[in-house]
Amino acid sequence: MKIKSLLLCIMLPLLTSCSGESEQPVVEEILRPVRTLVVMPTTGKLRREFPAVVDAARSADLSFRISGVIKEMPVKEGDRVEKGEVIAMLDQADARIELKVRQANYETALANYNRGKKLVAPGHLSQADFDKLRNEFASAEAQLTAARQTLGYTVLQASFAGRISKRHVENHEEVSAQERIVTLQDMSSLTIRIQVPESVMLRSRKGTKKNEYFVQFEAIPEQRFPLKLKEAAIIADENNQTYQVSFSTPRVAGYTLLPGMNALVTVESSNGPAQADFHVPASSVMEDGEGRFVYTVTPGGEAVQPPAGENSPDNRGVGIIERRAVTTGELDSRGLLITSGLSRGDHILTAGMSQAQPGMKVLWSPDQAF
């Protein structure tokens, strides 16, 4: 009897211990709630603004083709001139003397050539001597033509109708060939020039957007005027790696808008029929050694009990975090442009990205993503 009591005393603690371990409560997994954004194509127009400079429709630096001393220069800065009107004239004394010499040589060569033609046929003049006379005549004729051209080069005429915006020399100055004399500008319409960054040019050249262009002038800030695209450079500026784009617009009645004045160009872009742009908050895009990426959330199970004390809708369920590589474009008022890597309806993580890991389970509500 004593032996049985002793065994019971020894076994009872062991049985009690085993029974306690088997009855420990199971701890339920507590998932972190997350916020997501549903990726949808961007709607509405994108507005970009660029500082601009006013320029003339046409501009040319006029110069003489020969050297000389300016004898006449009747135009002043600001004067309007018509096409063909005389801008300046060089001293023509030397050119006229040269022309007289060449004219005399030509007439002599012509007379000798005509006499030779009459003598060569009956054999009174050899063919070789006649060929020499013919060559002398051709040379004299060419020299006369050159002398006439030289005399013509002493007169500088307007190549198109416009205004003299700048006089670079004064009357009676000695000038060299190709030296600028005046700058002539056609102000019948205006050219507006902007510098466009490389990232914007890449998007524009794809031809997937319809653009509208407008300009505002500092002198008329309350109005904007439509622009027509004129030309776009295909070689970047070496200093700032931007591309020059030019627009044209008619002159504004009642205002004196001159080259060099500042303006502001607005480009409004809308998506083409086959173009789908996605814009997301810039903070949702991360970057590491492998490139830029976002975290997406996809369904991963049934609803789970949210953390204690948190109000949660019944449709919350388990989501699985995935890493998605993306290609980005420019940042604008609508967010950061995603050019590849996302599709319509994707859910991206918008908070807590630093604590997220691929494959992590989270608590989310697909119907209430924002």
Side-chain angles (χ1 to χ4, degrees), residues 336-350:
L336 184 62
L337 174 66
I338 304 298
T339 58
S340 66
L342 291 179
S343 301
R344 180 190 184 104
D346 285 342
H347 292 254
I348 65 170
L349 204 61
T350 58

Side-chain angles (χ1 to χ4, degrees), residues 31-43:
L31 303 182
R32 177 187 297 276
V34 296
R35 294 181 177 182
T36 60
L37 172 72
V38 180
V39 176
M40 299 297 289
T42 304
T43 58

Side-chain angles (χ1 to χ4, degrees), residues 303-325:
V304 182
Q305 181 66 29
E310 180 179 336
N311 295 325
S312 175
D314 295 335
N315 63 344
R316 277 199 173 184
V318 176
I320 306 296
I321 290 182
E322 296 180 357
R323 175 180 168 132
R324 187 81 62 83

Side-chain angles (χ1 to χ4, degrees), residues 198 201 205 231-237 241-246:
E198 178 179 316
M201 289 296 289
R205 288 174 186 169
E231 58 184 1
I234 60 174
I235 298 179
D237 185 275
Q241 291 301 302
T242 59
Y243 295 81
Q244 181 172 275
V245 179
S246 301

